[in-house]
Amino acid sequence: MSDIHITIVYALAERYFLKNYTVSEKTTVEEAILHSKILQKFPEINLQNNKIGIFSRPVTLSESLQNGDRIEIYRPLLADPREVRRLRAKEQQSKEQKMFKTT
């Protein structure tokens, strides 16, 4: 069994964690995350709740890694992006209606 090179990434608003690792060929996503000790550095990460991806593709914790994979640990969203867009559109419509009324 040979070694492969991977990267683990976790980003917060004010800082981020990005580190390269060498792991065994059959290592799973979960094993790599646990080996990285990132959970001790960022205790808010919960592998049962946080979504995990490899190059933006959602993966399970039991998925085996390939050479060059970048494991991404995603933060929970603070707001639903669709709802935010809806509110912006509504606000924009309101501004446009006020603009037409005053002219």
Side-chain angles (χ1 to χ4, degrees), residues 56-100:
S56 300
R57 178 182 56 86
V59 297
T60 63
L61 293 172
S62 61
E63 188 165 321
S64 292
L65 295 168
Q66 305 294 317
N67 191 42
D69 279 349
R70 182 182 68 211
I71 299 171
E72 302 162 339
I73 303 171
Y74 306 119
R75 293 180 285 140
L77 295 175
L78 298 176
D80 179 5
R82 290 175 290 186
E83 185 61 29
V84 171
R85 281 193 295 274
R86 249 185 247 118
L87 290 172
R88 275 195 204 130
K90 191 173 184 179
E91 188 176 297
Q92 183 64 32
Q93 281 180 334
S94 178
K95 285 180 183 177
E96 288 172 0
Q97 287 174 351
K98 286 179 184 176
M99 191 170 67
F100 286 123

Side-chain angles (χ1 to χ4, degrees), residues 5 17 30 40 47 81:
H5 302 283
F17 175 91
E30 183 175 25
Q40 286 81 359
L47 294 181

